[in-house]
Amino acid sequence: MISEKVQNVLNSQINKEFYSAYLYLAMSAFFDEIGLYGFSFWTKVQAREEVDHGMILFDYIIERDGKVELEQIDAPEKNFENPLQVFEKILEHEKYVTESINCVASMSEDECDLATRHFINWYITEQVEEEANARDVITKLKMFGDEKASLFHLDKELQSRSYKSHSYK
Ligand code: OFO
């Protein structure tokens, strides 16, 4: 059994993960529109991973005999300008998600829920990787400036991302 406070932050985290999936899908659609199919693919793969993140929390709440409470998912932003601006938004969003995950960790400590504290470690590590991935693309995009050939090369590189499915069990 989990406490109501821990259950609430976990449910709220499910919502944030599904919102993340929506946000990445909106970005994927933008990249498709401007013909950057590798960027589009990369963000679409990320959207699938975000759904996995939400589902892992979903399954965990059930396994702990808690109650899953799904809330409305906000519409994602859709006014994007260019790849650099999109990846800066990604980094900003992932920093926000990191803070939220840290709050789940600290709430589970406050409630002496060591199982949740242990469970959430996977997300803490995942967030380090997600922020680093966004930062890496930002660095490259800043380096290339308006150079089309390098952008094309990066597009090809992002196309090679593969989807790794994650599940609770
Ligand atoms: Fe689920 O990590 Fe991104 O948002």
Side-chain angles (χ1 to χ4, degrees), residues 4 19 27 29 44 62 64 66-67 74 76 79 96-97 105-106 115 118 129 142 144-145 149-150 153 161 165:
E4 203 176 328
Y19 173 80
M27 291 166 168
K44 204 179 287 167
I62 290 172
R64 293 293 310 281
K67 186 167 165 50
D74 290 340
N79 298 317
Y96 159 76
V97 173
S106 97
H118 175 71
E129 188 186 316
K142 282 186 174 165
F144 302 157
S150 303
H153 183 75
R161 178 175 186 177
S165 117

Side-chain angles (χ1 to χ4, degrees), residues 16-17 20 24 46 50 53 93-94 97 126-127 130:
K16 288 175 182 139
E17 301 294 345
S20 296
Y24 280 109
Q46 185 61 37
E50 297 297 352
H53 298 172
H93 177 71
E94 290 304 341
V97 173
E126 183 75 3
Q127 283 310 118
E130 295 205 352

Side-chain angles (χ1 to χ4, degrees), residues 98-116:
T98 299
E99 273 176 34
S100 176
I101 291 290
N102 289 342
C103 289
V104 176
S106 97
M107 174 62 75
S108 51
E109 276 173 19
D110 290 350
E111 294 288 295
C112 298
D113 182 346
L114 298 187
T116 302

Side-chain angles (χ1 to χ4, degrees), residues 31 36-45 83 87 90 133-134 136-138 140-141 144 150-163:
F31 284 127
L36 286 173
Y37 303 116
F39 281 81
S40 171
F41 181 75
W42 191 96
T43 41
K44 204 179 287 167
V45 168
F87 270 83
I90 289 176
N133 288 344
D136 179 50
V137 177
I138 289 170
K140 287 176 178 154
L141 286 169
F144 302 157
S150 303
L151 185 63
F152 179 74
H153 183 75
L154 179 58
D155 193 54
K156 288 277 156 266
E157 184 186 319
L158 295 182
Q159 180 93 48
S160 67
R161 178 175 186 177
S162 55
Y163 166 65

Side-chain angles (χ1 to χ4, degrees), residues 121-134:
N121 274 343
W122 182 83
Y123 286 82
I124 293 172
T125 309
E126 183 75 3
Q127 283 310 118
V128 172
E129 188 186 316
E130 295 205 352
E131 287 188 24
N133 288 344

Side-chain angles (χ1 to χ4, degrees), residues 78-91:
K78 53 186 173 206
N79 298 317
F80 303 114
E81 290 165 18
N82 55 56
L84 178 59
Q85 184 240 19
V86 173
F87 270 83
E88 283 173 340
K89 281 180 186 292
I90 289 176
L91 182 57

